[in-house]
Amino acid sequence: MSVIISRALPDVRDGLKPSQRRILFAMHELSLYPGRKHMKCAKICGDTSGNYHPHGESVIYPTLVNLGQDWKTRYMLVDKQGNFGSIEGDPPAAMRYTESRLARSAESLLRDIDKNTVEFAANYDETQLEPTVLPAEYPNLLVNGANGIAVGMATNIPPHNLGEVINACLAYMDNGAITSEELMVHVPGPDFPTGGVIVENSESITETYKTGRGSFRLRASWEVEHLDRGQWQIIVKEIPYQVQKSKLIEKLAELIQTKKIPILSDVRDESADDVRLVLEPKSKNIDPEILMGLLFKNSDLEIRFSLNMNVLIDGVTPKVCSLKEV
């Protein structure tokens, strides 16, 4: 029960796990709001560990970093300063070198917390009070998603577009009898921070959101770039969510070396701030669609993202929920 309630599953009301909620509340107590100075992450992690989450700063820091990585969190809750890692899989700098403060979206999760809006409970040593849930102004669970592995159960919720989710909320407020299918007019599917293309038929997506369980096929976004003398190359502009770019390139290079895909000649990483992977064919007479079809089948340029909306109702009871229930 401790792992399910206190560690692995998010609360449906604010979409946060206890460790994330405690970090944000500790930053609130330190007045680290937008417009204020950034503060060393070591101080934030120390306060969180000492006051609310007694498991050591080394386990709190990765959670803090996650909240400030724009390729993992759709609407970042932490405004970072310093090296917070990269989509390549590079690790962040040590917490004594990085700084952070609350982002605008986190401000909307905490607003009016001091005005008796939510229940407070004693912390682990009963010296202070901490919120059991944050007074979130928007459905953060759907907007930023969540994942976790508990005992005998797991959760995996993709991020969604904020505007679409708000429109769905307004539609629900206007019509309490609205169904999950009708809500999908406003929320047609996930919205991943790294982009990509969902290739799944609408019936399958509808069934997934109705039952709270299912999966989506997610592909990289690509285009053909034409060169001189009829030559061409493929440019991959967006890679699937949670795929490390460095490991993806290693896999593509391995496919070339082992001649598993003989029509692929070379792969180059020309990324700067944006993703730009260049795939060169063996010959200009090859069909780009056939080449990409082989790569989708044999690499992480296409993944299957599982959706499992297993969340805590009122912070206590785990339940797999439909889109409407969430």
Side-chain angles (χ1 to χ4, degrees), residues 250-269:
E250 279 174 29
K251 178 64 179 175
L252 293 172
E254 184 189 313
L255 292 173
I256 295 168
Q257 284 172 349
T258 56
K259 295 188 167 60
K260 270 193 179 174
I261 301 183
I263 58 175
L264 180 64
S265 167
D266 191 19
V267 56
R268 289 196 313 278
D269 183 10

Side-chain angles (χ1 to χ4, degrees), residues 93-122:
M95 66 180 109
R96 62 184 178 274
Y97 300 122
T98 56
E99 299 179 341
S100 60
R101 64 185 176 193
L102 292 166
R104 292 264 174 225
S105 44
E107 194 176 18
S108 299
L109 291 179
L110 288 156
R111 191 173 287 122
D112 292 341
I113 195 168
D114 299 326
K115 295 182 181 176
N116 204 23
T117 48
V118 291
E119 292 284 328
F120 276 73

Side-chain angles (χ1 to χ4, degrees), residues 6-7 24 29 32 43 63 76 96-97 117 136 138 144 155 157 161 241 246 265 270 323:
S6 304
R7 219 181 302 170
L24 296 180
E29 293 287 273
L32 295 178
K43 166 68 174 168
T63 306
M76 291 187 297
R96 62 184 178 274
Y97 300 122
T117 48
Y138 62 92
N144 271 326
T155 188
I157 302 170
N161 182 282
Y241 186 53
S246 55
S265 167
E270 296 181 355
L323 175 64

Side-chain angles (χ1 to χ4, degrees), residues 133-248:
V133 67
L134 298 186
E137 290 185 337
Y138 62 92
N140 181 56
L141 180 69
L142 283 172
V143 168
N144 271 326
N147 60 64
I149 299 169
V151 178
M153 61 181 77
T155 188
N156 202 33
I157 302 170
H160 295 79
N161 182 282
L162 177 63
E164 292 173 357
V165 172
I166 296 294
N167 288 339
C169 290
L170 295 174
Y172 193 175
M173 288 159 70
D174 290 340
N175 174 19
I178 198 167
T179 63
S180 286
E181 295 100 306
E182 290 166 335
L183 284 168
M184 286 185 65
V185 171
H186 305 284
V187 185
D191 184 16
F192 296 103
T194 49
V197 182
I198 294 170
V199 281
E200 199 69 47
N201 62 58
S202 56
E203 292 80 16
S204 168
I205 295 176
T206 302
E207 188 60 27
T208 295
Y209 278 116
K210 269 172 68 178
T211 59
R213 277 210 173 101
S215 63
F216 309 98
R217 275 193 304 152
L218 179 63
R219 281 183 179 173
S221 173
W222 61 282
E223 62 184 23
V224 175
E225 189 174 88
H226 294 283
L227 308 170
D228 297 338
R229 301 195 193 98
Q231 302 287 339
W232 56 270
Q233 59 190 17
I234 287 170
I235 307 298
V236 175
K237 301 182 296 178
E238 296 169 348
I239 61 175
Y241 186 53
Q242 294 177 337
V243 171
Q244 271 188 23
K245 184 149 66 77
S246 55
K247 288 191 176 171
L248 174 62

Side-chain angles (χ1 to χ4, degrees), residues 17-27 40-68 78 84 92 95 98 100 124:
K17 300 179 194 176
S19 56
Q20 297 168 327
R21 188 178 300 118
R22 287 164 175 166
I23 288 169
L24 296 180
F25 184 64
M27 292 174 84
K40 288 282 185 191
C41 290
K43 166 68 174 168
I44 296 164
C45 293
D47 275 28
T48 307
S49 176
N51 295 337
Y52 311 113
H53 200 69
H55 302 287
E57 299 98 320
S58 58
V59 296
I60 294 168
Y61 185 51
T63 306
L64 172 65
V65 165
N66 235 329
L67 297 175
V78 165
F84 265 51
M95 66 180 109
T98 56
S100 60
Y124 67 94

